[in-house]
Amino acid sequence: MSEIILLSPPLVDSDVSSLKAGDKVLVSGTIYTGRDAAHKRIVEALAEGKEPPFPLEGAVIFYVGPSPAPPGRVIGAAGPTTSYRMDAYAPTLMEHGLKAMIGKGKRNDEVKQAMQKNKAVYLAAIGGAGALMARCIKEAEVIAYPELGPEAVRRLVVQDMPLFVVNDVQGGDLYQQGRQAYARQ
Amino acid sequence: MSNPRTVEVSAIADTVARLCGEADLYLPEDVRRAFTQAQADEPSPVGREVLARLLENADIAAEEKMPICQDCGLAVIFIDVGQDVHLSGGDLAEAINEGVRRGYKDNYLRKSSCHPFSRENTGDNTPAIINYSIVPGDKVHLWVVPKGGGSENMSKVFLLTPAVGIAGVKKAILETVEAAGPNPCPPIILGVAVGGTFDQAAVRAKRTLLRELDSVNPDPEAAVLEKELLEEVNKLGIGPAGLGGGTTCLKVFVDIKPCHIASLPVAVNVQCHAARHKEAVL
């Protein structure tokens, strides 16, 4: 098994260029959340020349729609949502400096090519492990589109969020490699 | 005929509210046993780590009264009403929806129900998806099966030609799992219904998910198909979280019923590893 790599956003090219599909990483620092509806609005804002709701340069985005925070907690369960719904928007965000996406499930070829071109990576969180992920989240604040409820954009401060590199900047894909290694006949 | 037994719909509302909370906060014991067994059998170190993390996640959820998964699902309800029951005190569907409203609010569960076009959230996770059955007896049997979108989106209904036979049915199921890959949060559970009609097959496929993972199918033909399908699905190598491994699927449930001479419907309901299901009898 590979050693654990620590990442702290905002990320620069050298942070992500050395990552390989299959690496385990721990992310600590400020990241942002967004799902389908928020992505649509961010991409529309960029097309109109407006400022996005958070600085995209070096940013890490987590595809999550958390459950409501119980009393005394900063956030509810916060596991990743399925990423393919964000595929239509992801290349635009990478062109504007996005360096890492956190989600679960496959990305399309266009997104994988955009990762290679823009030096960005796709990191998988364990799907469904919402209570475990919530423990890594120390602060949470809605910063845009509050009317979207669970889909609002949040700024999170996370500590040691455990993730796997799925797609790297060289075109590596852990979903394909992992499957090939264990497929039988 | 005997006098009907009266069940107040307010008791059904209370039970639905309680089951919504229990289902989203506590991993069922049969699923926990399946994770533990899979950990022992899983050849991939990453796969074993994922399974260990899922057990840890369930422990944290129970300790902290936090949902297992942020996607607390649409509230799918199965209700079997005994034919000797008189439901009293109001509208049954409204009582179930009231239970869902309360259960999701009081337990801080995520509300995921929205208008299909505007995407505007209904705000209280209603309407519930209710499947009614009339059965013999004087009891009301309720199941709450919260269903998340990630796995539901990977489900399929096929209207195959009878000529494809059992091999064609298996092919359709394997292709469904292959196309889903890591998306539905493997290790998955498959609810499969063969036969019946287009509409009925999908509901039956979902209903199989009420079964315990370590139960044995009383229909020997279905039991054989369950075993064969599980073996073939686990040869795909998708593994826990889709990161590669031998545990792509924990269990296949199969329900076989007669169909039209011209038809061969097959429904595959893909269930994520959380496999939430809680029940009560009133």
Side-chain angles (χ1 to χ4, degrees):
Chain A
M1 243 188 273
S2 59
E3 60 181 304
I4 295 171
I5 298 156
L6 306 176
L7 287 179
S8 293
L11 304 178
V12 294
D13 284 359
S14 59
D15 289 324
V16 295
S17 295
S18 55
L19 296 174
K20 293 265 183 303
D23 284 347
K24 287 204 280 189
V25 303
L26 293 174
V27 171
S28 297
T30 301
I31 65 172
Y32 299 91
T33 74
R35 293 172 41 118
D36 327 26
H39 271 72
K40 186 163 183 278
R41 293 196 192 186
I42 294 170
V43 167
E44 282 167 2
L46 292 170
E48 291 165 11
K50 292 180 186 160
E51 284 295 310
F54 57 89
L56 285 169
E57 194 59 47
V60 176
I61 195 162
F62 180 20
Y63 303 147
V64 61
S67 62
R73 306 266 169 211
V74 299
I75 202 162
T81 197
T82 323
S83 304
Y84 70 89
R85 297 193 315 273
M86 273 54 75
D87 281 357
Y89 313 109
T92 307
L93 267 52
M94 283 184 257
E95 279 161 26
H96 285 81
L98 182 75
K99 282 286 163 211
M101 297 158 280
I102 302 170
K104 56 133 176 152
K106 288 178 279 194
R107 311 310 301 266
N108 69 18
D109 289 342
E110 200 186 331
V111 175
K112 291 183 206 172
Q113 282 157 17
M115 281 187 251
Q116 293 189 59
K117 183 180 159 210
N118 297 292
K119 291 203 166 45
V121 291
Y122 173 49
L123 308 168
I126 297 175
L132 182 78
M133 299 292 284
R135 272 209 175 163
C136 307
I137 299 170
K138 304 303 171 190
E139 293 175 33
E141 179 195 3
V142 173
I143 57 164
Y145 320 138
E147 64 280 11
L148 295 180
E151 299 196 57
V153 171
R154 288 169 169 79
R155 184 184 61 82
L156 304 182
V157 176
V158 301
Q159 194 182 337
D160 296 333
M161 181 174 265
L163 306 163
F164 295 93
V165 178
V166 170
N167 294 108
D168 61 32
V169 301
Q170 282 87 31
D173 186 332
L174 178 60
Y175 288 140
Q176 284 174 10
Q177 293 161 18
R179 213 186 134 180
Q180 276 160 11
Y182 290 95
R184 288 176 288 142
Q185 199 253 321
Chain B
M1 158 192 164
S2 58
N3 287 328
R5 176 175 163 255
T6 297
V7 173
E8 297 291 332
V9 296
S10 60
I12 290 175
D14 292 346
T15 307
V16 168
R18 173 172 65 82
L19 294 178
C20 286
E22 287 181 5
D24 271 308
L25 266 40
Y26 305 109
L27 188 73
E29 282 305 314
D30 60 327
V31 181
R32 189 179 281 274
R33 286 194 296 275
F35 283 174
T36 307
Q37 181 61 50
Q39 246 185 325
D41 298 341
E42 174 55 55
S44 154
V46 172
R48 288 197 297 274
E49 183 181 337
V50 170
L51 291 162
R53 292 277 190 175
L54 292 179
L55 283 163
E56 191 187 343
N57 181 63
D59 291 340
I60 295 170
E63 270 168 45
E64 301 194 1
K65 302 268 188 294
M66 181 83 89
I68 300 164
C69 176
Q70 75 290 340
D71 185 348
C72 301
L74 281 188
V76 177
I77 312 289
F78 283 86
I79 178 164
D80 288 2
V81 181
Q83 63 192 33
D84 297 328
V85 170
H86 170 227
L87 294 168
S88 173
D91 178 326
L92 173 61
E94 181 41 43
I96 291 171
N97 280 319
E98 175 54 30
V100 169
R101 249 176 238 125
R102 247 194 282 149
Y104 273 70
K105 180 167 181 287
D106 294 351
N107 293 289
Y108 301 93
L109 306 180
R110 198 183 85 188
K111 293 88 184 167
S112 299
S113 178
C114 72
H115 187 277
F117 297 137
S118 73
R119 311 307 292 177
E120 192 185 337
N121 201 296
T122 68
D124 58 8
N125 222 42
T126 66
I129 310 299
I130 311 172
N131 298 289
Y132 302 95
S133 302
I134 303 294
V135 299
D138 65 355
K139 300 280 193 287
V140 174
H141 200 149
L142 270 170
W143 291 263
V144 173
V145 195
K147 192 64 166 75
S151 64
E152 190 76 349
N153 286 346
M154 298 295 115
S155 301
K156 297 253 190 267
V157 177
F158 300 91
L159 282 307
L160 302 176
T161 52
V164 302
I166 201 159
V169 170
K170 281 186 179 177
K171 184 165 172 275
I173 294 162
L174 286 169
E175 282 173 2
T176 302
V177 177
E178 194 153 20
N183 295 1
C185 292
I188 53 172
I189 290 121
L190 291 172
V192 176
V194 184
T197 53
F198 168 80
D199 50 318
Q200 193 216 37
V203 177
R204 278 169 38 229
K206 181 151 281 163
R207 189 171 174 118
T208 65
L209 302 176
L210 306 181
R211 281 178 52 198
E212 295 280 304
L213 288 177
D214 29 23
S215 65
V216 176
N217 198 319
D219 174 358
E221 188 185 21
V224 169
L225 194 51
E226 285 177 356
K227 192 164 170 287
E228 290 173 356
L229 280 166
L230 182 64
E231 276 175 24
E232 289 180 40
V233 166
N234 282 332
K235 282 183 190 167
L236 294 173
I238 295 166
L243 301 174
T247 317
T248 299
C249 183
L250 297 171
K251 177 79 180 179
V252 182
F253 295 123
V254 175
D255 175 23
I256 303 172
K257 290 274 189 304
C259 57
H260 191 281
I261 50 172
S263 297
L264 180 47
V266 178
V268 188
N269 199 191
V270 180
Q271 170 62 56
C272 70
H273 57 70
R276 296 166 289 195
H277 55 102
K278 293 285 172 183
E279 63 188 279
V281 178
L282 283 89

